[in-house]
Amino acid sequence: MTSLPYRTPTDLAAELSDPYCMAPDTAAELLRDLPWNRLVVMGDSVTAGVMDPLPGYRERSFADRFTDALAATRPGLAAVNLATPHLLLDGIRDQQLIPALDFGPDVVMVSAGGNDAFRSFDPKTLRARLAALLTPLAESGALVVTIGLFDLARSGLVPPEHADNMARRFDELDRVTAELARALGGIHIDTHHHPLAADPGIYAADRVHANARGHAVAFAAIATTLAQYAREHPGD
């Protein structure tokens, strides 16, 4: 694999001083009034935990960080992380949907579609697969929260000869995911257009799932967006 430019974080203090990151106690305070007590995390490897974590960084994905912050303010929180590496959308639906529905969640955090974008890609098929995953969750009464992906193609993670085509795929993936989530009354966390999304420095190593800083930035975006939602929708 081609070596990529990256920042080498040295310790947790570096993460917490990053203006795009958030201290755990700050996030917990933001999330204190969220009305959810049962959380399910679904998706592929970006929610399944950081592989080969760097020294000084927690071996936790952004979903783990969110669960920790939520649990800090409600001891009765019940949460399950069903995320599994390397699945396509059909695999996520077939392997994770029924366990998620059986759990009876208040809120479902979904990160899905990234693996599909690296393979054969058709927007209509993508929308249909996402709808088959998200619609039953919304119909069950769970609030669906979809997590966007950083701009992987423009950040240097794709060979230059494929970058333009892959950038279009990830743009379409983000658009379809956001539109469908909102059509179902859910929330989309926009990290695709984050100020750091196309910056190779968001990644802490050549392997995308070792991006400890990326997980920390995504966690901050999730906490901020959901806290704003709670303020704008009291009682939901």
Side-chain angles (χ1 to χ4, degrees):
M1 178 179 290
T2 302
S3 179
L4 300 172
Y6 61 89
R7 301 183 182 93
T8 304
T10 56
D11 54 28
L12 185 59
E15 175 186 313
L16 298 183
S17 66
D18 188 318
Y20 291 111
C21 296
M22 182 177 294
D25 57 346
T26 301
E29 185 60 29
L30 275 177
L31 301 172
R32 179 176 301 278
D33 295 327
L34 293 186
W36 308 319
N37 293 306
R38 297 182 68 79
L39 166 70
V40 167
V41 177
M42 299 174 63
D44 57 21
S45 50
V46 296
T47 55
V50 181
M51 298 166 63
D52 301 332
L54 296 173
Y57 273 66
R58 298 176 61 204
E59 301 180 27
R60 311 288 276 171
S61 72
F62 60 74
D64 295 323
R65 293 165 185 253
F66 178 78
T67 303
D68 288 351
L70 201 59
T73 66
R74 52 182 55 68
L77 176 76
V80 60
N81 190 339
L82 300 172
T84 304
H86 314 308
L87 287 182
L88 298 176
L89 274 168
D90 278 351
I92 295 171
R93 181 197 63 204
D94 293 344
Q95 297 184 32
Q96 299 177 17
L97 181 56
I98 296 303
L101 293 173
D102 287 346
F103 185 74
D106 302 318
V107 60
V108 180
M109 183 179 294
V110 181
S111 178
N115 290 332
D116 293 70
F118 280 108
R119 295 168 172 79
S120 60
F121 185 91
D122 173 75
K124 290 184 179 179
T125 301
L126 174 72
R127 176 177 280 277
R129 289 174 175 169
L130 269 171
L133 175 68
L134 300 182
T135 301
L137 298 167
E139 290 177 343
S140 76
L143 177 68
V144 175
V145 179
T146 54
I147 311 300
L149 297 175
F150 287 117
D151 198 341
L152 302 184
R154 295 183 179 90
S155 66
L157 288 171
V158 175
E161 63 271 22
H162 300 303
D164 288 346
N165 183 45
M166 289 301 300
R168 286 192 292 271
R169 290 187 179 191
F170 278 100
D171 287 347
E172 186 70 10
L173 171 63
D174 184 75
R175 184 186 67 80
V176 170
T177 304
E179 288 180 355
L180 185 56
R182 290 166 184 153
L184 294 170
I187 305 169
H188 181 67
I189 309 295
D190 182 8
T191 54
H192 187 68
H193 300 98
H194 192 282
L196 297 181
D199 177 2
I202 193 65
Y203 300 101
D206 289 348
R207 293 174 63 187
V208 64
H209 300 308
N211 61 346
R213 182 170 179 245
H215 279 282
V217 170
F219 164 62
I222 293 167
T224 302
T225 303
L226 294 185
Q228 180 179 347
Y229 175 88
R231 289 194 300 269
E232 295 174 352
H233 300 80
D236 283 8

